[in-house]
Amino acid sequence: MSKMVYFDRVATALMAKEAVKAITEFLQVPVGNPSAHIHSAGITAAKYIDEARHKVADLVNAKDNEIYFTSGATESNNLAIKGYISGKNEGEIIISEIEHYSILDQVRTLSSLGFEIKFLKVDRFGMVNPDDLGKLITSKTVLVSVMMANPEIGTIQPVKELAKVCGHKGVVFHTDATSAVGYIPVDVTELGVNMMTISSQVLGGPMGTGALYIDKKTILKPIFDGGNQERGYRPGTENVAGIVGFGAACEMIKTRLANESVRLKELGNKLWQGLENKVEHIEFTGHPKLRLPGHVSFWHKFIEGESLLLHLNLKNVMAASGSSCSSNLKGIDEHDLRGSHVLTAVGVPEEYCTGSITFSLDYCNTVDEIIYVLDILPGIVERLEEMSPVYADYIKKREQNG
Ligand code: PMP
């Protein structure tokens, strides 16, 4: 296929044309610094931010003044956790064992500062159990953070029940909804969460922009010192163009979400069934039903995820291996060497934890692209199997056993 087949939405969706248009138009307007309330150029910029804030709030049924813009999900996660525990010297923080590194690495730092970190276990589908959370919470627990949907294996957590458990015990609950908002309907009021991380890029907005929803009961301290932007929670001049694009993407996705999630689910099912029928030696990961629509993830018993991805890329198909945002082909960093903590948590044998593939589809993808991928994938897998010493070993043993 000459056209790029892009199946890596959990890392970043392709920018929606609505976002591109809104940013392009904005960039032609002479605006000042949004904090310069004294002149109209500044007031115009602030108005653009307010309008975008309304669109983000509207998508998740929040109030406008509960949305705080940040530079993205990593910063939102840091603001939520560090901002909430700031001023406290000790206590317990509970997170699931399959959180993104922007949570995991933070709690590691906090543990060295004296906080106790407890991990909520997941089952083989990557699902946490609200009853387990209830048992983990003690009078020392200050904060719980569990992601809404996992980008690597697609599983959607029972966030409403988790928030309820925390509510009953008087503990603040944060959810990293980076991979969920824009994929599935998310309503903060119905869910009862206190804080929620939202990413622009996963829903068709620009990269490097995001937001943190904070309900009115939850009080944070800013993690940066500086100005009074974002009502003091996020000092520093706002990325106005990014925020405008983020707002436009939220507005677009809101009108399409109901139809899109049905369409994506059908495409995902077609891909899943096709893989099941056409490709041997794979194991699917994540929950078979309670998962992001259009998200299909698996690992192969004999070949490495990255080899498969490189070959797919030669055929113009782009997907992810392991954690969407930590794969680093240019250099090896600590995260890559660790393999996937998510796969380890769901019980995938350690030797396969670098071998997973994640296809995450979005509103640009079509059924023809699914057919194309199902057409080329078995051939690629066969060629890679032929080059795999582990596969050769397997065949030898199979022949010996008759
Ligand atoms: N949380 C989750 C669940 C993610 O998948 C990611 C990466 N897309 C992040 C946080 C961090 O996002 P960013 O790199 O945009 O800050």
Side-chain angles (χ1 to χ4, degrees), residues 10-11 72-75 77 100 102 147 149 151 176 178-179 199 201 324-325:
V10 288
T74 298
E75 190 187 323
N77 283 344
H100 184 261
S102 54
M147 62 167 45
D176 175 0
T178 300
S179 312
S199 168
Q201 70 214 40
S324 53
C325 338

Side-chain angles (χ1 to χ4, degrees), residues 7 32 51 63 75-76 101 108 113 165 206 216 280 355 364:
F7 283 179
E51 280 169 17
K63 298 189 185 71
E75 190 187 323
S76 296
Y101 287 117
R108 207 196 289 172
L113 296 176
V165 170
K216 284 289 149 235
E280 270 192 289
C364 306

Side-chain angles (χ1 to χ4, degrees), residues 253-272:
I253 209 87
K254 182 157 192 223
T255 59
R256 293 174 62 170
L257 194 57
N259 290 341
E260 270 303 299
S261 44
V262 175
R263 195 185 75 91
L264 284 180
K265 197 168 175 193
E266 282 166 11
L267 288 185
N269 288 346
K270 191 171 172 62
L271 183 55
W272 185 301

Side-chain angles (χ1 to χ4, degrees), residues 154-166:
T155 302
I156 301 173
Q157 302 297 347
V159 165
K160 188 174 175 178
E161 288 70 28
L162 297 171
K164 208 185 220 171
V165 170
C166 289

